[in-house]
Amino acid sequence: MSSPLVSAPELAAEIAHGARPRLLDVRWRLDRPEGRPDYLEGHLPGAVYVDLERELAAPGHPEAGRHPLPTDADLHEAVRRWGVNVGDRVVVYDDNEGVPAARAWWLLRRNGIDVRLLDGGLRAWFRHGLRLERGDTAVRRGTWSGESDYRDAVADIDDAALAPHHGVLVDVRAPQHYRGAVAGLDPAAGHIPGAVNIPTVTHIGPDGLLRGPSEIRATLAVHGIVPGTRVVLSCASGIPSMHSALAFETAGVTARVFVGSWSLWSRSAGRPIAIGASPFDVVVAGY
């Protein structure tokens, strides 16, 4: 299996030798979801801006969470709008440790597209002194066509509830959100009972690069996760969990993503909530 990552020097060398992968700029932050202004100030040469909120997610509804998967029709139209043709290789990147770009990686991969994530994103590109360009990039509409396949990749809310009994449920949010110590955007704070906490940032080194497979395997082994373990990932609304899915894959561990995650669980009547630092700390009635 080829690596889901490409380094900045590797990508620069590919471009210098005539390879022209379609570059997608997926800048997004929870407190600043519109990344286009930063994209216009400087982006990788030829990169097309991708709007995570509008192109990598459907409008949120209480019954589906804050960032549901886009419909196949909407995603496929976006892919062609980005100029992706049949047979193209795609590289996604961002300026936020690869977390939003991993959402694009996860979706495109499950639609049959050859996609890699730029390890370290813009930070790594800057560090190697590689050039940027300003302004928007106009591309010809692409010819790509394909079909989605989310089998064995997506978990629903009942799968998440049962995951601790059949394998491991991993909550990848920051500890303060997992413990219910900080109120977020959802109606309740805490975690799904039985979930263990492995924040997605655990897999990112101080240089912004993804940690090596052996380091990630060691982290997962502490929680009894090895290749073959049945794993479901949950986060706030289906974005950081896809970064963890990428990290797990580099370590040889396949995981399903509960896309609705806490934004769906906390709004679902009758679902219990655990508060505290351990999987089954204090369980209280939910919404």
Side-chain angles (χ1 to χ4, degrees), residues 99-285:
V99 175
R103 171 89 173 197
W105 168 84
W106 189 94
L107 281 165
L108 297 184
R109 185 168 180 265
R110 279 152 190 83
N111 279 270
I113 294 175
D114 183 358
V115 57
R116 295 167 294 162
L117 183 142
L118 175 59
D119 196 12
L122 273 175
R123 181 176 168 188
W125 195 259
F126 290 147
R127 189 164 58 243
H128 289 281
L130 298 166
R131 75 179 185 91
L132 298 178
E133 64 182 26
R134 295 166 63 93
D136 210 347
T137 299
V139 294
R140 180 175 297 177
R141 181 180 172 83
T143 62
W144 179 84
S145 63
E147 295 182 357
S148 62
D149 184 359
Y150 298 111
R151 291 174 297 177
D152 302 320
V154 171
D156 63 22
I157 193 168
D158 292 323
D159 294 328
L162 293 172
H165 306 287
H166 300 309
V168 183
L169 174 63
V170 180
D171 188 319
V172 312
R173 294 175 299 160
Q176 63 267 31
H177 292 290
Y178 171 83
R179 296 172 181 174
V182 174
L185 299 175
D186 301 304
H191 60 267
I192 301 171
V196 301
N197 187 211
I198 310 177
T200 198
V201 296
T202 303
H203 312 303
I204 302 168
D207 54 4
L209 302 178
L210 195 71
R211 295 187 187 276
S214 61
E215 287 184 86
I216 296 172
R217 278 193 292 271
T219 297
L220 302 186
V222 170
H223 299 275
I225 300 172
V226 297
T229 301
R230 297 172 66 178
V231 179
V232 171
L233 300 171
S234 179
C235 57
S237 62
I239 297 174
S241 53
M242 293 179 181
H243 182 274
S244 286
L246 182 150
F248 281 39
E249 181 171 308
T250 66
V253 175
T254 300
R256 291 185 294 160
V257 173
F258 172 31
V259 179
S261 290
W262 187 249
S263 67
L264 174 56
W265 184 277
S266 63
R267 288 173 169 81
S268 298
R271 298 290 178 175
I273 292 171
I275 299 171
S278 64
F280 290 102
D281 242 4
V282 178
V283 178
V284 298

Side-chain angles (χ1 to χ4, degrees), residues 56-108:
L56 301 181
H61 297 285
E63 67 274 13
R66 283 189 276 117
H67 292 107
L69 297 183
T71 66
D72 288 352
D74 286 346
L75 178 62
H76 297 175
E77 172 61 23
V79 170
R80 290 187 285 271
R81 189 165 57 247
W82 303 331
V84 179
N85 298 310
V86 174
D88 278 356
R89 301 187 80 192
V90 173
V91 174
V92 298
Y93 73 91
D94 59 46
D95 62 352
N96 191 14
E97 313 290 19
V99 175
R103 171 89 173 197
W105 168 84
W106 189 94
L107 281 165
L108 297 184

